[in-house]
Amino acid sequence: MTGFQRTIASLGGAAGLAAMVLAITDLGTSGIGLILGGILLAGVGLRHRTGVMPQARLDLAASLGGMVLLLSMLDGDMPAASWPLLIACWLVGWLAVEKSLAARDMSPTMSSIVSLAVPVFFGAWIIFVWEMLTVGLQVPTVLLPPPSMIAVRFAESTSILWADFQQTVIKAALSGYIIGCGSAFIIAILIDRVPFLQRGLLPVGNFISALPIVGIAPIMVMWFGFDWQSKAAVVVVMTFFPMLVNTVAGLQATQAMERDLLRTYASSYFQLLLKLRLPTAAPFIFNALKINSTLALIGAIVAEFFGTPIVGLGFRISTEVGRMNVDMVWAEIVVAALAGSLSYGLLSLLEKQVTFWHPSNRRKIQ
Amino acid sequence: MTSKTTRSKVIEAEKLGLTFDANDGPVHALKDVDLAIEKGDFVSFIGPSGCGKTTLLRVIADLEHPTAGSITVNGMTPEQARLERAYGYVFQAPALLAWRTIERNIGLPLEIMGLSAAEKADRVARTLELVGLDGFGRKFPWQLSGGMQQRASIARALAFDADLLLMDEPFGALDEIVRDHLNEQLLQLWKKTGKTICFVTHSIPEAVYLSNKIVVMSPRPGRVTDIIESDLPAERPLDIRESKRFLEIAQRVRTGLREGHSYE
């Protein structure tokens, strides 16, 4: 165990001890549960000073147990002892993560479980603390609703959310993304082939990328109507330039020696393109695809603020915020966040498959 | 000498010159180079950096264009020869494509030539064995050592199966032990295949050990100062480098290099 881990353990134990003392002095409101919780975490944290039973899963279990205890007694009037207990749970949970990440002798499956569990655990913690603070400190729900309230609203309005998701993500963002990235890719290849276009089109692309979305969106509504087509057009404008610039840069990334090599084989332009230049450009292209996946979503949502039929993530956010239904706004944000993370994750996965040879990905094969 | 006159000329250069236009005036990379290389020769080009030895090789390969004189490769212009795929070229670095396995890297030129899959697999297997890399075909280049990578790049040039092999300091970046080993293998390969090999180097022992003809070059302007025919026996164990004849030839190369080089 490192000195750092020992410090976390001691601090966690001390916080557990403090919770126990506070709960005893204020027995009427705290109840026996908080005393036992304080004793548990103090014991688990401080046992590291003695070196008995050092397993990380003991720390994890204590941390989760404390969390369940705190959740079970969660209401608007939390006893004072619950706050040091929250800190103790956090420190001991942190310790468990530190220890499992540092463990050397792990089987491959175990280590992949750990690497998957850590971000899940981390996310759960953020939601847990969010819930504790908003409910325990009685934060007005208009400012920040607790996660439980958002979850309930989400579960109640799945049909509306699904319709909004289809309208904004599938119809507007995805079609705009495909058209924008696809056309930029083709034009990048043309630019690379024809020097005249390189002089003429690249500055125009630069110009388009500088246009503000709040200016484009109403114009696109005039051109393509209120429905998703105008939002897709905004997304095309937004995604075009990053893809263009990255693909052009990627196509120029080959080394002189590699080009000479294919020249000695008397390879044709298309052979050179397919066998050398596009594979070399792949990391650049994936970069643009990943940047654009989030840009497309933002573009489609914001574009709906400027005229839309009565469906869509952006429409719902702007109207529900006006009706003070902040929980619905958060439910829509959850949908957008899930869609964004999912597409980004899928693209990253695909990127690892295609550019496995790139120095940043090599470790996994060797 | 009689055998020589019957051999056909692979490369013939006359008054060959190449001038680059730099900011501070023209640079004479090559000037008045006369050269004849016959079929089956192992020719080393040796000289200090800037003497144009790599440029000369690149002119033969049609990677640079001469500005004066004439040159033919297999009786054609270098461009025709390149389009006919008359030579294999080995660069200073392996230049293997990282996303292809060793097998598929060696198969790359064959793919571009449009050979059938069976023919390709056969040639790849054959050349892998020739350079002693059998069993490594499924590896990626970055999983192999530098010496193995360079051998793979030689295999790639051999798979091409052209009669002419152009090698530009192929072992320059390798340590001496690996280099000795690859030199030995290259000699055996030359004997086995009877290819014409043009080999650029700046190591005197390497040039003398490998070649039957050594072209000594000097810089500013890049030109040929001496052409030495080596009469070392075809069978060359590594310790031939301590023999009297070897040292005499090496001495002559060294003198040629010194004469061509000005220290002003």
Side-chain angles (χ1 to χ4, degrees), chain B:
Chain B
M1 290 304 277
T2 46
S3 70
K4 239 170 218 172
T5 47
T6 57
R7 285 195 294 169
S8 58
K9 297 267 195 294
V10 176
I11 294 164
E12 274 189 295
E14 246 176 79
K15 298 264 167 223
L16 190 70
L18 175 58
T19 311
F20 293 113
D21 281 320
N23 287 336
D24 51 352
V27 176
H28 298 283
L30 290 174
K31 197 169 175 14
D32 293 334
V33 172
D34 293 317
L35 185 70
I37 294 172
E38 280 141 2
K39 194 166 166 48
D41 271 348
F42 195 130
V43 186
S44 284
F45 298 88
I46 189 165
S49 51
C51 73
K53 51 194 193 299
T54 294
T55 310
L56 180 55
L57 205 67
R58 290 174 64 84
V59 167
I60 297 171
D62 190 39
L63 296 174
E64 305 280 357
H65 302 292
T67 49
S70 67
I71 179 164
T72 60
V73 178
N74 284 348
M76 297 173 274
T77 66
E79 190 186 1
Q80 282 169 333
R82 178 174 67 82
L83 294 177
E84 298 246 319
R85 294 163 172 137
Y87 63 85
Y89 200 107
V90 180
F91 292 87
Q92 287 177 13
L96 298 164
L97 305 184
W99 53 89
R100 285 172 170 256
T101 59
I102 294 297
E103 259 172 17
R104 295 195 57 232
N105 260 293
I106 297 174
L108 176 68
L110 312 177
E111 226 172 277
I112 287 172
M113 288 161 75
L115 291 189
S116 71
E119 167 87 30
K120 212 166 64 187
D122 181 50
R123 279 212 209 172
V124 169
R126 211 152 20 99
T127 45
L128 268 179
E129 203 191 316
L130 214 54
V131 297
L133 276 182
D134 28 349
F136 291 94
R138 298 277 157 98
K139 294 270 185 200
F140 285 94
W142 29 274
Q143 294 170 315
L144 302 186
S145 68
M148 287 165 111
Q149 287 184 25
Q150 195 55 283
R151 272 190 284 171
S153 90
I154 293 170
R156 183 178 55 189
L158 290 174
F160 214 76
D161 214 18
D163 292 330
L164 176 60
L165 197 56
L166 307 175
M167 307 178 87
D168 182 9
E169 291 189 40
F171 311 139
L174 305 177
D175 68 68
E176 201 155 335
I177 297 165
V178 178
R179 197 173 173 144
D180 277 353
H181 179 62
L182 291 182
N183 277 340
E184 253 184 317
Q185 282 192 328
L186 183 62
L187 260 189
Q188 271 161 22
L189 199 106
W190 176 51
K191 263 188 291 179
K192 227 186 291 182
T193 57
K195 288 185 191 301
T196 314
I197 299 181
C198 295
F199 188 94
V200 167
T201 177
H202 51 225
S203 152
I204 298 174
E206 192 173 64
V208 179
Y209 177 70
L210 289 171
S211 355
N212 67 341
K213 190 185 262 184
I214 302 161
V215 177
V216 183
M217 298 182 71
S218 80
R220 283 177 294 274
R223 63 195 187 280
V224 174
T225 51
D226 196 6
I227 296 179
I228 301 161
E229 304 268 349
S230 160
D231 51 4
L232 289 176
E235 202 59 50
R236 297 179 190 181
L238 275 173
D239 53 22
I240 199 173
R241 293 181 297 187
E242 271 95 60
S243 76
K244 191 158 167 287
R245 188 67 197 125
F246 186 96
L247 294 174
E248 279 168 11
I249 298 171
Q251 185 54 43
R252 193 176 149 195
V253 174
R254 192 167 289 118
T255 312
L257 285 173
R258 204 167 289 152
E259 277 167 4
H261 205 283
S262 56
Y263 287 99
E264 83 261 12

Side-chain angles (χ1 to χ4, degrees), chain A residues 144-305:
Chain A
L144 188 65
S148 55
M149 188 177 167
I150 299 169
V152 168
R153 170 58 65 152
F154 191 100
E156 281 170 357
S157 12
T158 43
S159 60
I160 296 177
L161 292 171
W162 176 243
D164 291 347
F165 172 80
Q166 280 181 308
Q167 171 76 11
T168 306
V169 178
I170 304 289
K171 288 183 187 161
L174 188 62
S175 60
Y177 177 79
I178 291 171
I179 296 171
C181 292
S183 59
F185 177 76
I186 292 167
I187 288 173
I189 288 175
L190 289 178
I191 282 183
D192 177 74
R193 186 91 166 112
V194 189
F196 163 69
L197 291 179
Q198 197 160 5
R199 299 272 170 79
L201 258 179
L202 222 46
V204 171
N206 212 331
F207 171 76
I208 291 173
S209 80
L211 296 177
I213 182 175
V214 291
I216 307 170
I219 294 172
M220 292 301 160
V221 170
M222 310 259 204
W223 289 1
F224 299 105
F226 276 98
D227 211 349
W228 60 269
Q229 289 88 345
S230 58
K231 282 77 203 165
V234 172
V235 173
V236 169
V237 173
M238 282 185 82
T239 54
F240 183 80
F241 188 68
M243 184 68 176
L244 183 76
V245 171
N246 273 288
T247 310
V248 168
L251 287 172
Q252 288 166 355
T254 51
Q255 285 170 7
M257 200 183 277
E258 295 166 343
R259 286 196 301 275
D260 280 347
L261 179 75
L262 267 82
R263 192 173 149 80
T264 68
Y265 300 153
S267 75
S268 68
Y269 166 77
F270 283 104
Q271 286 173 327
L272 183 66
L273 187 69
L274 287 177
K275 297 195 191 296
L276 175 63
R277 304 187 65 202
L278 283 180
T280 309
F284 292 78
I285 293 171
F286 271 104
N287 234 348
L289 288 176
K290 287 198 294 190
I291 294 169
N292 279 346
S293 73
T294 42
L295 269 186
L297 211 56
I298 294 170
I301 291 173
V302 174
E304 285 181 4
F305 289 12

